[in-house]
Amino acid sequence: MADKEKAEMLSKILSALDFVNSVELMEDKTTISNNEQDFFALAGLWENRDVTTESIRQKAWREDVK
């Protein structure tokens, strides 16, 4: 757990600085699922919707920029 030790050391260094009010360590709860069912649950999400790359671009840009 070298990363946790590094995080704790960084926390101590930051806490020692006058302009830092508080330091909070948070656990990384990121998980990557290898479950194919999760992936295929999204299949058909855009079915029967008129979505094209051009329509996405038109909505993304302001009307005065073309």
Side-chain angles (χ1 to χ4, degrees):
M1 284 286 197
D3 289 339
K4 188 169 185 175
E5 291 173 6
K6 290 177 186 177
E8 289 173 357
M9 178 60 78
L10 180 59
S11 172
K12 289 178 184 177
I13 292 170
L14 290 173
S15 296
L17 297 174
D18 292 339
F19 57 89
V20 176
N21 293 331
S22 68
V23 176
E24 180 181 346
L25 292 178
M26 298 178 67
E27 293 290 324
D28 184 12
K29 298 188 190 254
T30 304
T31 58
I32 298 173
S33 173
N34 291 330
N35 189 349
E36 285 186 21
Q37 187 174 3
D38 291 343
F39 175 77
F40 288 110
L42 297 175
L45 182 67
W46 297 103
E47 187 176 8
N48 299 323
R49 293 186 69 184
D50 186 24
V51 177
T52 63
T53 54
E54 188 59 32
S55 68
I56 292 170
R57 286 187 187 106
Q58 287 175 349
K59 291 177 183 177
W61 289 97
R62 296 186 316 245
E63 291 185 23
D64 60 334
V65 177
K66 294 208 178 198

